[in-house]
Amino acid sequence: MTQPRAITIALLAMGGEGGGVLSEWLVDLAEHHGYLVQATSVPGVAQRTGATVYYLELFPRAAVPADARPVLALSPVPGEVDVVIASELMEAGRALQRGLVSSERTTFIVSTHRVYSMTERTAMGDGRVDAPKLLDGARAAAARLVAADFAAIAEQAAGPIAPALFGALAASGALPFERAQFEEAIRRGGVGVQASLKAFAAGHAAALAPEALPPDAVPPVRLGPRLAALDERIGAGFPLHVQDTLRHGVLRLADFQDVPYAAAYLDLLQPLRDTGDVLTETARHLALWMTYEDAIRVADLKTRRSRFDRVAGEVKLTDGQLLHINEFMHPRVEEIADILPAGLGRWLLATGWARGALGRFTRSGRIVRTSSLRGFLLLYAIAALRPLRPRSLRFGVEQERIRTWLAGIQRLAGSQPALALELARSQRLVKGYGDTHARGWRNFQRLLGELPRLEGDEAGARRLSELARAALADESGQALEHMLASA
Amino acid sequence: MAERSFTSEVGKLRLAAGEEFRGEGILAVTKALLQSGVSYVAGYQGAPISHLMDVLTDANDILRELGIRFEHSASEATAAATLAASVNYPLRGAVTFKSPVGTNVASDAIANLSSGGVTGGALIIVGEDYGEGSSIMQERSHAFAMKSQVWLLDPRPNLPSIVRAVEQGFELSEASRTPVMLELRIRACHVHGSFTASDNRRADFTLKDAIEHPRRDTERIALPPSTYLHEQEKVNQRWPAAVRFIRERGLNEFFAEDAQDFGIVLQGGLYNGVLRTLELLQVADPFGHSRVPLYVLNVTYPLVDEEFTRFCAGKRAILIVEEGQPDFIEQAVHAALRRADVQTKVHGKDFLPKAGEYTGGLLLQGIARFLQQVAPALIEGRALPAGALPAVPAVPAAAGLKTIAIQDATAQVHGRPPSFCTGCPERPIFTAIKLVERELGPHHISCDIGCHLFSILPPFNIGATTMGYGLGWAGAAAFNTPETGRRTLSIMGDGGFWHNGLTSGVGNAVFNQTDNVLLVVDNGYSAATGGQDLLSSKADSPIRSTKHPIEKAVRGVGVEWVRTVDHTYSLERMRDVLREALTTKAKGPKVIVASSECMLNKQRRVRPLVKKAIGEGRRVVRERFGVDPDTCTGDHSCIRLSGCPSLTIRPNPDPLRRDPVAAVVDSCVGCGLCGEAAHAAVLCPSFYRAEIVNNPTRWDHFAQRVRSAVIGWLQGRIARRLEGLAA
């Protein structure tokens, strides 16, 4: 039976993405070209960053008998949707969850960029969901998938995402309208027409282009002449699988301190050279640990020309504009003691009156304008303390901690490689600044304290990784306490 | 200033007879009111009827021409009480609000109104915020219609039917001397469609006539002994009059009444969904020609027993499609048929879900099962649409790779609850509460309705209960005992404050000698409902009186400890005031007014001005924040304290690091909270504030040249140190 039916379109978007505008363009486009249109949405609180479904039905006027009117539905029926547009990758997953995408009839237009959910963003480590799985699911479910990073495409065209998706829809051929007719609808809309048309064209082109391949996981790196000797040593003395990591490591260490420091890094790893994964993970974490973030490092990074350029790029500075950069710093007495020579630093921390006197100046945070002479010179002066760093309080403390950690890994690498691997990885708990760093270090010590009990235990490695995950589950440390108590 | 400007929609309100109106359902209602000759309209905004209020605000000229009074009521109770104008005078009036929350608030006035009855047509338009995406508790307005005996219209969700319902609603109200409630579901309010307009009508009898020639009738007042008479009058006169009108005017509709020996009875609002289902099952065409008998209840209360017995005559079974619970209609039909001794089997919630929105898929499944049972021959041999089959519960043993891929993908999906907008001035208030709790430990926090209620969700996770609009402090009333020195904290928005919180919360706390703390979140607008003005709004309004400070009102009812923080972004100020309120030795109620303009509205106001200034060549400094990815270690404490949509994460550019780094995206409006939080919580030095100077002056350029010379030279030295490390 071939009775006429409505073309059905569902649009899943988040507040502020222009889903309403896209819906209005579609209404206008179809009404102009011989269709009766019904569109609905449930905006409400979705305007405040929640997810929204816009639903449209298009019915050809020519198929409507005299004195009849089609009855159009207000919500989509699973499996009965011709076009599904998801303005973001997790929203594409939501369309699948709702059963809207059918392998028999749905053209599925998906922007593959991510707008991270609150859960993903607030995780203390990496809480992101598996994006490739979302895309694979979309491909499996749809009759036809048109996927591209339309947010980036729109941004390159200096326009919003809605017209880029509209362009992709035009290119998909899922609707019985010509490209020029889509563009006319944007013109009739009358708001931001030029920017929208540019983004439309970019989206249209992207939908027709072949799919881009995902980038390599570990980018290789080449070392310069001053690190040539170390490069040779890496090539000759370490297995192939770890060489890129080591190159990144020595580069980072030389950048942080100097070339001998980078050489010391390789010395420390030498004993682990035949431990496979344990070596790779230790190399990665050791490089991070040895380049801990003290005030010298922060000042150094903040004053570089490349950093000034990066900020200018990020704020999209144009020719006629000037840029000022203001840093939010809150060094406490502890951070100041950290970069002092060890003896002086210890004295400062242990001497009540000195601590109090300095503390008065560090109670509230400071805003340093790095782009001003005064601010820049201040940070430059702090960064210039770098040659003195090996004698600083913090340096000594960190080297001692590193030695203990490495000794543990080395000891376990032969007998219990899985546990050694988890021990190497648990360094990820120690990061951040101030209170965050102190909390991370506390948690790390709790884990080290558990180590003797885990050695001998077959499930020790799994247990250690679970403990590390628990330490990253919440700030209060409740999850870790709970897990330690349940042992 | 409302979220949207309706200047172009206002033009549609002037359309004359025969012209085509195209637009949203709720705007069609607005036009229908003008066509019906109303004398006054009042209401309290809230999705999904905010647009009705906003359009009328922008359409003040048209209203004046037609002699219509339009009020932004202080609450839904005020709105419903406004209908008192129709009690003694032949004045048509309409009020509108969100339901059932607004109907709850209005129920006292509705009960009084319906007890005495009306002379002029009185229409209560409720936007039913029910189902997916709703922001309120899930109940039915139907119960209010039953308890107060107000007639309830639930028209088919297309614009001509909705407009007709408005016009017939007034007539029904006048014919039965009873207020009429018009229920519009959220999707119907936002549906885009068209209808043929009629001319607007100016009422023959005007407000002026009423004021200059006052009338009264003690029999219309809810006071003994009239109240007892009202009750009799309701059932003996008004109800029968209503039923007569509904039957004679054919308000309910029958389709293909005798086509089968079974049929479907449905609420008008569900008509399109049911029809789509029948179309998919190939027992109807797309134009509403059904082969299954349909009885469409455009009036869902009162039910017309005679129509039911007529529809059921010769039918073995009927299916009642009634959304929500309890199943008032199904119960009433059982009783009516039993009384009439009709043996038709009544189905309903045995085929369809007991609760929840009847979306396309659920209707399809329920109705397909009903047809399979009562008339298998009708759909026999046809492949049922995929949606008619119940969802597959788990991966079946023989699941294909495709099915597994789809299930893997759906497992990745997180909810996206609403959250504070970019730059929202309320966010720092909750950051400050979190910081204070780090010092003082947790407190009992009583919440209210409004944008600030998003603080109960991640990342803030603040608040224990919410009892209704303006009831934030009332919700903590019991926690008032000399046995502890620990205080509770209550929260209220400016909307809730003026809605009723000033009396039910603040007045109550003063009178009952509380020692607890109230935080009033004052953003200058009724922001949660779309940015309408309030008494305390800072903006000038041509048609309303604004700029009445909340602090003055609070002091006026006797609170002595009041602190106003007029820049909530100052986290330290906010934290210090909170700490003081929670720990001060001063006894008695303590109120903090945290006041900063809604950023959504501010941006709407300021952005065009800034653009213009830049265009005119004036020096304008724009601020935005950023995070240095090389110093960010990926702990995300900053996000846990902020939750700003502009503060997100991105893959770590550092090849040795795995955790994503924090990042500020381009939508940042430079409110400064992330920097303040980094300071106050001693988080990390990764945040920077960039100032972008548009149209710099000569002095700017000169200073820049001097700086660049020195800084550039030093940066050259840094670069030389790093030379030769990377290839």
mmCIF file of all heavy atoms in Angstrom, chain B residues 219-252:
data_model
loop_
_atom_site.group_PDB
_atom_site.id
_atom_site.type_symbol
_atom_site.label_atom_id
_atom_site.label_comp_id
_atom_site.label_asym_id
_atom_site.label_seq_id
_atom_site.Cartn_x
_atom_site.Cartn_y
_atom_site.Cartn_z
ATOM 1 N N GLU B 219 -25.569 36.216 47.031
ATOM 2 C CA GLU B 219 -25.713 34.783 46.741
ATOM 3 C C GLU B 219 -24.521 34.237 45.972
ATOM 4 O O GLU B 219 -24.369 33.035 45.821
ATOM 5 C CB GLU B 219 -26.995 34.522 45.946
ATOM 6 C CG GLU B 219 -28.216 34.622 46.821
ATOM 7 C CD GLU B 219 -29.471 34.153 46.095
ATOM 8 O OE1 GLU B 219 -29.339 33.651 44.953
ATOM 9 O OE2 GLU B 219 -30.552 34.314 46.663
ATOM 10 N N ARG B 220 -23.714 35.105 45.442
ATOM 11 C CA ARG B 220 -22.548 34.643 44.676
ATOM 12 C C ARG B 220 -21.286 34.578 45.543
ATOM 13 O O ARG B 220 -20.222 34.258 45.080
ATOM 14 C CB ARG B 220 -22.280 35.568 43.474
ATOM 15 C CG ARG B 220 -23.443 35.672 42.502
ATOM 16 C CD ARG B 220 -23.399 34.640 41.394
ATOM 17 N NE ARG B 220 -23.481 33.259 41.827
ATOM 18 C CZ ARG B 220 -24.595 32.563 42.014
ATOM 19 N NH1 ARG B 220 -25.768 33.101 41.849
ATOM 20 N NH2 ARG B 220 -24.542 31.302 42.395
ATOM 21 N N ILE B 221 -21.436 34.909 46.822
ATOM 22 C CA ILE B 221 -20.261 34.950 47.699
ATOM 23 C C ILE B 221 -20.202 33.674 48.527
ATOM 24 O O ILE B 221 -21.222 33.190 49.039
ATOM 25 C CB ILE B 221 -20.314 36.194 48.608
ATOM 26 C CG1 ILE B 221 -20.265 37.453 47.731
ATOM 27 C CG2 ILE B 221 -19.134 36.189 49.579
ATOM 28 C CD1 ILE B 221 -20.455 38.739 48.470
ATOM 29 N N ALA B 222 -18.984 33.120 48.652
ATOM 30 C CA ALA B 222 -18.834 31.866 49.384
ATOM 31 C C ALA B 222 -18.870 32.120 50.883
ATOM 32 O O ALA B 222 -17.847 32.225 51.550
ATOM 33 C CB ALA B 222 -17.524 31.183 48.976
ATOM 34 N N LEU B 223 -20.067 32.246 51.393
ATOM 35 C CA LEU B 223 -20.277 32.481 52.822
ATOM 36 C C LEU B 223 -21.608 31.817 53.162
ATOM 37 O O LEU B 223 -22.543 31.909 52.390
ATOM 38 C CB LEU B 223 -20.346 34.008 53.062
ATOM 39 C CG LEU B 223 -20.398 34.473 54.503
ATOM 40 C CD1 LEU B 223 -19.018 34.387 55.133
ATOM 41 C CD2 LEU B 223 -20.907 35.910 54.568
ATOM 42 N N PRO B 224 -21.663 31.148 54.296
ATOM 43 C CA PRO B 224 -22.937 30.501 54.620
ATOM 44 C C PRO B 224 -24.032 31.560 54.678
ATOM 45 O O PRO B 224 -23.754 32.675 55.131
ATOM 46 C CB PRO B 224 -22.711 29.885 56.005
ATOM 47 C CG PRO B 224 -21.217 29.831 56.154
ATOM 48 C CD PRO B 224 -20.665 30.935 55.322
ATOM 49 N N PRO B 225 -25.238 31.273 54.284
ATOM 50 C CA PRO B 225 -25.681 29.953 53.816
ATOM 51 C C PRO B 225 -25.498 29.746 52.319
ATOM 52 O O PRO B 225 -25.812 28.668 51.815
ATOM 53 C CB PRO B 225 -27.177 29.967 54.160
ATOM 54 C CG PRO B 225 -27.568 31.409 53.972
ATOM 55 C CD PRO B 225 -26.379 32.220 54.367
ATOM 56 N N SER B 226 -24.961 30.782 51.613
ATOM 57 C CA SER B 226 -24.890 30.641 50.155
ATOM 58 C C SER B 226 -24.040 29.442 49.739
ATOM 59 O O SER B 226 -24.323 28.778 48.747
ATOM 60 C CB SER B 226 -24.291 31.906 49.538
ATOM 61 O OG SER B 226 -25.064 33.018 49.869
ATOM 62 N N THR B 227 -22.970 29.169 50.510
ATOM 63 C CA THR B 227 -22.071 28.083 50.121
ATOM 64 C C THR B 227 -22.809 26.762 49.965
ATOM 65 O O THR B 227 -22.520 25.982 49.059
ATOM 66 C CB THR B 227 -20.958 27.907 51.170
ATOM 67 O OG1 THR B 227 -21.474 28.227 52.436
ATOM 68 C CG2 THR B 227 -19.779 28.791 50.875
ATOM 69 N N TYR B 228 -23.796 26.523 50.866
ATOM 70 C CA TYR B 228 -24.541 25.251 50.771
ATOM 71 C C TYR B 228 -25.404 25.236 49.526
ATOM 72 O O TYR B 228 -25.599 24.211 48.889
ATOM 73 C CB TYR B 228 -25.380 25.032 52.040
ATOM 74 C CG TYR B 228 -24.554 25.239 53.300
ATOM 75 C CD1 TYR B 228 -24.887 26.215 54.232
ATOM 76 C CD2 TYR B 228 -23.400 24.470 53.504
ATOM 77 C CE1 TYR B 228 -24.104 26.424 55.349
ATOM 78 C CE2 TYR B 228 -22.615 24.685 54.624
ATOM 79 C CZ TYR B 228 -22.971 25.653 55.549
ATOM 80 O OH TYR B 228 -22.190 25.860 56.631
ATOM 81 N N LEU B 229 -25.910 26.439 49.191
ATOM 82 C CA LEU B 229 -26.718 26.536 47.975
ATOM 83 C C LEU B 229 -25.854 26.340 46.737
ATOM 84 O O LEU B 229 -26.248 25.705 45.774
ATOM 85 C CB LEU B 229 -27.409 27.910 47.924
ATOM 86 C CG LEU B 229 -28.352 28.184 49.099
ATOM 87 C CD1 LEU B 229 -28.902 29.599 49.032
ATOM 88 C CD2 LEU B 229 -29.497 27.163 49.096
ATOM 89 N N HIS B 230 -24.621 26.894 46.813
ATOM 90 C CA HIS B 230 -23.714 26.743 45.667
ATOM 91 C C HIS B 230 -23.505 25.278 45.337
ATOM 92 O O HIS B 230 -23.500 24.870 44.182
ATOM 93 C CB HIS B 230 -22.339 27.361 45.964
ATOM 94 C CG HIS B 230 -22.356 28.845 46.113
ATOM 95 N ND1 HIS B 230 -21.332 29.526 46.706
ATOM 96 C CD2 HIS B 230 -23.273 29.778 45.758
ATOM 97 C CE1 HIS B 230 -21.613 30.823 46.715
ATOM 98 N NE2 HIS B 230 -22.788 30.991 46.140
ATOM 99 N N GLU B 231 -23.311 24.486 46.404
ATOM 100 C CA GLU B 231 -23.015 23.073 46.170
ATOM 101 C C GLU B 231 -24.178 22.406 45.434
ATOM 102 O O GLU B 231 -23.971 21.633 44.497
ATOM 103 C CB GLU B 231 -22.740 22.379 47.511
ATOM 104 C CG GLU B 231 -22.061 21.044 47.322
ATOM 105 C CD GLU B 231 -21.880 20.279 48.626
ATOM 106 O OE1 GLU B 231 -22.391 20.717 49.668
ATOM 107 O OE2 GLU B 231 -21.232 19.223 48.575
ATOM 108 N N GLN B 232 -25.392 22.752 45.862
ATOM 109 C CA GLN B 232 -26.567 22.190 45.188
ATOM 110 C C GLN B 232 -26.661 22.699 43.746
ATOM 111 O O GLN B 232 -26.947 21.951 42.821
ATOM 112 C CB GLN B 232 -27.849 22.572 45.949
ATOM 113 C CG GLN B 232 -27.901 22.055 47.384
ATOM 114 C CD GLN B 232 -27.853 20.545 47.448
ATOM 115 O OE1 GLN B 232 -28.332 19.854 46.553
ATOM 116 N NE2 GLN B 232 -27.242 20.002 48.505
ATOM 117 N N GLU B 233 -26.410 23.988 43.609
ATOM 118 C CA GLU B 233 -26.514 24.612 42.295
ATOM 119 C C GLU B 233 -25.525 23.977 41.303
ATOM 120 O O GLU B 233 -25.843 23.751 40.141
ATOM 121 C CB GLU B 233 -26.213 26.118 42.454
ATOM 122 C CG GLU B 233 -26.492 26.953 41.230
ATOM 123 C CD GLU B 233 -26.092 28.415 41.468
ATOM 124 O OE1 GLU B 233 -26.474 28.998 42.501
ATOM 125 O OE2 GLU B 233 -25.352 28.962 40.622
ATOM 126 N N LYS B 234 -24.324 23.655 41.817
ATOM 127 C CA LYS B 234 -23.315 23.033 40.973
ATOM 128 C C LYS B 234 -23.827 21.744 40.356
ATOM 129 O O LYS B 234 -23.708 21.525 39.152
ATOM 130 C CB LYS B 234 -22.064 22.700 41.799
ATOM 131 C CG LYS B 234 -21.040 23.795 41.913
ATOM 132 C CD LYS B 234 -19.878 23.249 42.745
ATOM 133 C CE LYS B 234 -18.765 24.245 42.901
ATOM 134 N NZ LYS B 234 -17.700 23.717 43.770
ATOM 135 N N VAL B 235 -24.392 20.874 41.183
ATOM 136 C CA VAL B 235 -24.780 19.566 40.650
ATOM 137 C C VAL B 235 -26.154 19.572 39.996
ATOM 138 O O VAL B 235 -26.416 18.794 39.079
ATOM 139 C CB VAL B 235 -24.731 18.454 41.729
ATOM 140 C CG1 VAL B 235 -23.310 18.218 42.153
ATOM 141 C CG2 VAL B 235 -25.607 18.787 42.913
ATOM 142 N N ASN B 236 -27.032 20.455 40.459
ATOM 143 C CA ASN B 236 -28.389 20.422 39.924
ATOM 144 C C ASN B 236 -28.605 21.340 38.726
ATOM 145 O O ASN B 236 -29.499 21.102 37.918
ATOM 146 C CB ASN B 236 -29.401 20.777 41.022
ATOM 147 C CG ASN B 236 -29.399 19.718 42.113
ATOM 148 O OD1 ASN B 236 -29.202 18.530 41.813
ATOM 149 N ND2 ASN B 236 -29.580 20.135 43.359
ATOM 150 N N GLN B 237 -27.815 22.420 38.646
ATOM 151 C CA GLN B 237 -28.058 23.344 37.544
ATOM 152 C C GLN B 237 -26.866 23.497 36.615
ATOM 153 O O GLN B 237 -26.969 23.329 35.416
ATOM 154 C CB GLN B 237 -28.459 24.716 38.104
ATOM 155 C CG GLN B 237 -29.870 24.690 38.683
ATOM 156 C CD GLN B 237 -30.101 25.835 39.646
ATOM 157 O OE1 GLN B 237 -29.580 26.930 39.467
ATOM 158 N NE2 GLN B 237 -30.891 25.572 40.686
ATOM 159 N N ARG B 238 -25.706 23.800 37.219
ATOM 160 C CA ARG B 238 -24.576 24.132 36.354
ATOM 161 C C ARG B 238 -24.056 22.908 35.605
ATOM 162 O O ARG B 238 -23.731 22.983 34.429
ATOM 163 C CB ARG B 238 -23.454 24.752 37.182
ATOM 164 C CG ARG B 238 -23.850 26.102 37.776
ATOM 165 C CD ARG B 238 -22.628 26.774 38.354
ATOM 166 N NE ARG B 238 -22.882 27.324 39.666
ATOM 167 C CZ ARG B 238 -21.934 27.543 40.569
ATOM 168 N NH1 ARG B 238 -20.685 27.233 40.300
ATOM 169 N NH2 ARG B 238 -22.241 28.060 41.740
ATOM 170 N N TRP B 239 -23.957 21.801 36.327
ATOM 171 C CA TRP B 239 -23.456 20.584 35.656
ATOM 172 C C TRP B 239 -24.360 20.179 34.487
ATOM 173 O O TRP B 239 -23.883 20.021 33.350
ATOM 174 C CB TRP B 239 -23.304 19.469 36.706
ATOM 175 C CG TRP B 239 -22.589 18.231 36.245
ATOM 176 C CD1 TRP B 239 -22.551 17.720 34.975
ATOM 177 C CD2 TRP B 239 -21.815 17.345 37.042
ATOM 178 N NE1 TRP B 239 -21.811 16.587 34.938
ATOM 179 C CE2 TRP B 239 -21.336 16.315 36.198
ATOM 180 C CE3 TRP B 239 -21.490 17.309 38.403
ATOM 181 C CZ2 TRP B 239 -20.557 15.263 36.657
ATOM 182 C CZ3 TRP B 239 -20.709 16.247 38.863
ATOM 183 C CH2 TRP B 239 -20.238 15.246 37.988
ATOM 184 N N PRO B 240 -25.682 20.030 34.743
ATOM 185 C CA PRO B 240 -26.544 19.662 33.611
ATOM 186 C C PRO B 240 -26.462 20.680 32.468
ATOM 187 O O PRO B 240 -26.493 20.307 31.292
ATOM 188 C CB PRO B 240 -27.949 19.645 34.215
ATOM 189 C CG PRO B 240 -27.735 19.455 35.676
ATOM 190 C CD PRO B 240 -26.425 20.098 36.008
ATOM 191 N N ALA B 241 -26.341 21.967 32.812
ATOM 192 C CA ALA B 241 -26.261 22.989 31.757
ATOM 193 C C ALA B 241 -25.012 22.768 30.912
ATOM 194 O O ALA B 241 -25.039 22.908 29.688
ATOM 195 C CB ALA B 241 -26.245 24.377 32.393
ATOM 196 N N ALA B 242 -23.924 22.419 31.589
ATOM 197 C CA ALA B 242 -22.669 22.191 30.873
ATOM 198 C C ALA B 242 -22.800 20.982 29.958
ATOM 199 O O ALA B 242 -22.425 21.021 28.779
ATOM 200 C CB ALA B 242 -21.533 21.985 31.866
ATOM 201 N N VAL B 243 -23.367 19.899 30.486
ATOM 202 C CA VAL B 243 -23.512 18.677 29.689
ATOM 203 C C VAL B 243 -24.386 18.952 28.466
ATOM 204 O O VAL B 243 -24.076 18.529 27.350
ATOM 205 C CB VAL B 243 -24.100 17.543 30.554
ATOM 206 C CG1 VAL B 243 -24.528 16.372 29.692
ATOM 207 C CG2 VAL B 243 -23.075 17.111 31.603
ATOM 208 N N ARG B 244 -25.433 19.736 28.684
ATOM 209 C CA ARG B 244 -26.338 20.080 27.583
ATOM 210 C C ARG B 244 -25.550 20.845 26.498
ATOM 211 O O ARG B 244 -25.620 20.527 25.319
ATOM 212 C CB ARG B 244 -27.492 20.930 28.125
ATOM 213 C CG ARG B 244 -28.719 20.972 27.234
ATOM 214 C CD ARG B 244 -29.984 21.353 28.011
ATOM 215 N NE ARG B 244 -29.808 22.515 28.866
ATOM 216 C CZ ARG B 244 -29.932 22.475 30.193
ATOM 217 N NH1 ARG B 244 -30.235 21.359 30.821
ATOM 218 N NH2 ARG B 244 -29.766 23.582 30.915
ATOM 219 N N PHE B 245 -24.786 21.809 26.948
ATOM 220 C CA PHE B 245 -24.017 22.622 25.991
ATOM 221 C C PHE B 245 -23.024 21.749 25.214
ATOM 222 O O PHE B 245 -22.900 21.844 23.994
ATOM 223 C CB PHE B 245 -23.266 23.740 26.739
ATOM 224 C CG PHE B 245 -22.519 24.681 25.835
ATOM 225 C CD1 PHE B 245 -23.118 25.840 25.351
ATOM 226 C CD2 PHE B 245 -21.212 24.403 25.438
ATOM 227 C CE1 PHE B 245 -22.431 26.702 24.511
ATOM 228 C CE2 PHE B 245 -20.517 25.261 24.588
ATOM 229 C CZ PHE B 245 -21.135 26.418 24.120
ATOM 230 N N ILE B 246 -22.328 20.873 25.936
ATOM 231 C CA ILE B 246 -21.313 20.024 25.294
ATOM 232 C C ILE B 246 -21.965 19.132 24.231
ATOM 233 O O ILE B 246 -21.448 18.960 23.125
ATOM 234 C CB ILE B 246 -20.593 19.166 26.358
ATOM 235 C CG1 ILE B 246 -19.795 20.064 27.317
ATOM 236 C CG2 ILE B 246 -19.665 18.141 25.710
ATOM 237 C CD1 ILE B 246 -19.381 19.382 28.608
ATOM 238 N N ARG B 247 -23.147 18.581 24.568
ATOM 239 C CA ARG B 247 -23.833 17.692 23.619
ATOM 240 C C ARG B 247 -24.371 18.470 22.428
ATOM 241 O O ARG B 247 -24.146 18.114 21.275
ATOM 242 C CB ARG B 247 -24.999 16.972 24.311
ATOM 243 C CG ARG B 247 -24.557 15.918 25.285
ATOM 244 C CD ARG B 247 -25.755 15.186 25.837
ATOM 245 N NE ARG B 247 -26.412 14.355 24.824
ATOM 246 C CZ ARG B 247 -27.535 13.695 25.041
ATOM 247 N NH1 ARG B 247 -28.162 13.787 26.209
ATOM 248 N NH2 ARG B 247 -28.072 12.951 24.098
ATOM 249 N N GLU B 248 -25.080 19.559 22.740
ATOM 250 C CA GLU B 248 -25.735 20.288 21.661
ATOM 251 C C GLU B 248 -24.736 20.904 20.700
ATOM 252 O O GLU B 248 -24.958 20.931 19.491
ATOM 253 C CB GLU B 248 -26.639 21.385 22.246
ATOM 254 C CG GLU B 248 -27.912 20.811 22.848
ATOM 255 C CD GLU B 248 -28.719 21.837 23.624
ATOM 256 O OE1 GLU B 248 -28.368 23.051 23.580
ATOM 257 O OE2 GLU B 248 -29.683 21.430 24.295
ATOM 258 N N ARG B 249 -23.627 21.378 21.235
ATOM 259 C CA ARG B 249 -22.639 22.041 20.386
ATOM 260 C C ARG B 249 -21.601 21.070 19.835
ATOM 261 O O ARG B 249 -20.716 21.464 19.099
ATOM 262 C CB ARG B 249 -21.957 23.183 21.164
ATOM 263 C CG ARG B 249 -22.935 24.272 21.595
ATOM 264 C CD ARG B 249 -23.444 25.062 20.390
ATOM 265 N NE ARG B 249 -22.359 25.806 19.795
ATOM 266 C CZ ARG B 249 -21.976 27.014 20.193
ATOM 267 N NH1 ARG B 249 -22.645 27.633 21.136
ATOM 268 N NH2 ARG B 249 -20.949 27.608 19.634
ATOM 269 N N GLY B 250 -21.731 19.822 20.232
ATOM 270 C CA GLY B 250 -20.822 18.814 19.689
ATOM 271 C C GLY B 250 -19.355 19.069 20.018
ATOM 272 O O GLY B 250 -18.485 18.957 19.155
ATOM 273 N N LEU B 251 -19.084 19.400 21.268
ATOM 274 C CA LEU B 251 -17.697 19.691 21.645
ATOM 275 C C LEU B 251 -16.818 18.446 21.544
ATOM 276 O O LEU B 251 -15.659 18.511 21.153
ATOM 277 C CB LEU B 251 -17.638 20.283 23.064
ATOM 278 C CG LEU B 251 -17.580 21.819 23.133
ATOM 279 C CD1 LEU B 251 -18.628 22.475 22.258
ATOM 280 C CD2 LEU B 251 -17.683 22.306 24.565
ATOM 281 N N ASN B 252 -17.377 17.307 21.927
ATOM 282 C CA ASN B 252 -16.627 16.066 21.730
ATOM 283 C C ASN B 252 -16.887 15.563 20.319
ATOM 284 O O ASN B 252 -17.924 15.859 19.723
ATOM 285 C CB ASN B 252 -17.070 15.015 22.754
ATOM 286 C CG ASN B 252 -16.737 15.450 24.168
ATOM 287 O OD1 ASN B 252 -15.697 16.081 24.389
ATOM 288 N ND2 ASN B 252 -17.611 15.144 25.108
#
